[in-house]
Amino acid sequence: MTNQYEIIIIGGSYAGLSAALTLGRSKRKVLIIDGGKPCNAPTPHAHNFLTHDGQNPREIARIGKEQVLAYPTVRFESGTVSEVVKHIDGFAVKTEDGGNFIADKIIVATGIRDLFPSIEGFAECWGISAVHCPYCHGFELSDRPTAILANGEMAMHYAKLVYNLSKDITILTNGRHAFGSADITKLTAKNIHIIDSVIKKINHEHGQITSVEFEGRPTLNVTAMYAGLPMEQHSDIPHQLGCEIDENGLIKVDAGQQTTIDGVFACGDNSSMRSLSVAVQTGMVAGAYINMLLCEEAF
Ligand SMILES: Cc1cc2nc3c(=O)[nH]c(=O)nc-3n(C[C@H](O)[C@H](O)[C@H](O)COP(=O)(O)OP(=O)(O)OC[C@H]3O[C@@H](n4cnc5c(N)ncnc54)[C@H](O)[C@@H]3O)c2cc1C
């Protein structure tokens, strides 16, 4: 049957493509189905990914896809998987546009979705001057007047990391703060201020933050922002399949990236630390582990 594959990879961004590379090089019949919505789409430059430091992330994915599709057993479909059903001898996969496919194993490389605060201007700055990760963008944003949009433990975590990069830091809790007196003492000693007024608006020029406006207090001039955003799984397929999710909202996986459901593997942001290198590494591990299982079954 032409719609039958050894492995279907749901999500064809960095993690999914990396898994496909390992499987294609192992001559496995692979289908990648990708919705084309990677989480880093707004960012013009990706950093801290060896050999691609500073490159446009879409270009990195384009090169990856081109290299993966050079392997003759790998196919790529644009589309969104709407349903995956586990049968006794494999998985039935449906796409929103009516595609039906069958696979022995499934890799979910579906990523996560950031839940933006409803603050005017935030979305336009995301990935440009409002970021989540000091390792991805910290060097470029260093030594600027910097805001940390977070509260409590998360804000303390950011404060320690960001203080290494800028000494001009203000924490914005956008409502009542949740710091104990010990944390306030530590922050005060580092000259880090807390503003707990509600944020009205982020002013910016083409995504570059210029200032933050509040309800009932003067505007703060900052040109960089770190935001500790809540997130959710990008896709409900892991949930549909019954994959266990941990207390941080990530899919539970073992050392071979297998989820708690036999034959279902996860890699990339949906199950690990968020970075291109980790997405590529966990994709490679998932691919290698699946190939090993298939080799053992056939031997
Ligand atoms: C703004 C921003 C900037 C970043 N900058 C950096 C950086 O500079 N350096 C760095 O190392 N990391 C950076 N990251 C993190 C990095 O982008 C992620 O770690 C990486 O994208 C994770 O890859 P992934 O393949 O797991 O998920 P994603 O890249 O998010 O891709 C998931 C893919 O799965 C698809 N998908 C989801 N559900 C379905 C479905 N049901 N059917 C079909 N397809 C589906 C999506 O459409 C998407 O294409 C950044 C992240 C953000 C948000």
Side-chain angles (χ1 to χ4, degrees):
M1 264 163 58
T2 54
N3 67 348
Q4 188 151 359
Y5 294 86
E6 289 179 290
I7 303 104
I8 291 181
I9 302 174
I10 306 170
S13 185
Y14 312 94
L17 287 171
S18 173
L21 182 60
T22 303
L23 290 164
R25 292 182 51 73
S26 306
K27 301 195 165 187
R28 295 295 173 191
K29 198 174 171 202
V30 177
L31 174 65
I32 306 164
I33 307 174
D34 182 49
K37 291 184 180 141
C39 64
N40 62 0
T43 205
H45 305 286
H47 290 278
N48 208 11
F49 184 34
L50 196 64
T51 75
H52 292 282
D53 192 41
Q55 207 167 349
N56 181 284
R58 281 190 189 275
E59 179 60 6
I60 299 172
R62 188 197 63 75
I63 296 168
K65 186 175 165 186
E66 185 179 279
Q67 292 181 346
V68 168
L69 293 184
Y71 291 88
T73 57
V74 183
R75 233 185 96 200
F76 189 100
E77 290 258 342
S78 293
T80 301
V81 172
S82 52
E83 187 183 280
V84 181
V85 177
K86 189 173 181 357
H87 296 299
I88 195 136
D89 54 353
F91 298 87
V93 175
K94 280 189 184 170
T95 60
E96 277 178 358
D97 56 5
N100 285 290
F101 306 94
I102 291 167
D104 300 328
K105 314 262 185 232
I106 295 287
I107 298 180
V108 281
T110 40
I112 58 170
R113 205 179 346 235
D114 297 294
L115 303 173
F116 288 178
S118 52
I119 299 173
E120 189 185 331
F122 181 87
E124 289 82 353
C125 298
W126 181 240
I128 300 169
S129 58
V131 299
H132 75 291
C133 169
Y135 303 105
C136 303
H137 307 285
F139 185 88
E140 288 66 34
L141 298 180
S142 61
D143 300 320
R144 297 189 186 189
T146 301
I148 295 174
L149 177 60
N151 205 344
E153 231 177 276
M154 173 75 84
M156 289 305 291
H157 172 69
Y158 270 110
K160 288 170 200 166
L161 293 177
V162 175
Y163 193 72
N164 180 45
L165 298 166
S166 170
K167 302 291 180 262
D168 181 349
I169 300 175
T170 309
I171 294 176
L172 313 180
T173 56
N174 195 23
R176 200 189 168 119
H177 80 70
F179 298 102
S181 56
D183 284 342
I184 291 179
T185 306
K186 275 189 199 166
L187 293 170
T188 308
K190 299 285 183 228
N191 207 23
I192 297 174
H193 305 282
I194 301 166
I195 296 178
D196 61 4
S197 307
V198 171
I199 299 172
K200 226 163 53 180
K201 188 180 174 192
I202 296 174
N203 295 310
H204 65 96
E205 281 165 20
H206 307 293
Q208 297 291 349
I209 299 176
T210 51
S211 62
V212 180
E213 286 181 30
F214 302 89
E215 278 176 15
R217 87 169 299 289
T219 296
L220 176 76
N221 291 324
V222 286
T223 56
M225 178 181 280
Y226 290 85
L229 300 185
M231 61 85 175
E232 62 183 11
Q233 289 286 324
H234 187 147
S235 167
D236 75 339
I237 299 295
H239 178 72
Q240 268 186 36
L241 283 162
C243 299
E244 244 182 85
I245 305 288
D246 73 14
E247 62 284 1
N248 298 314
L250 300 175
I251 302 170
K252 276 192 189 172
V253 289
D254 65 15
Q257 299 297 132
Q258 183 153 218
T259 69
T260 49
I261 302 299
D262 196 34
V264 179
F265 293 72
C267 52
D269 279 9
N270 64 14
S271 48
S272 61
M273 180 184 167
R274 197 170 203 194
S275 86
L276 295 172
S277 355
V278 175
V280 167
Q281 181 253 331
T282 53
M284 187 274 170
V285 170
Y289 196 78
I290 290 182
N291 180 60
M292 186 189 74
L293 290 179
L294 293 174
C295 289
E296 280 176 355
E297 283 168 21
F299 194 71

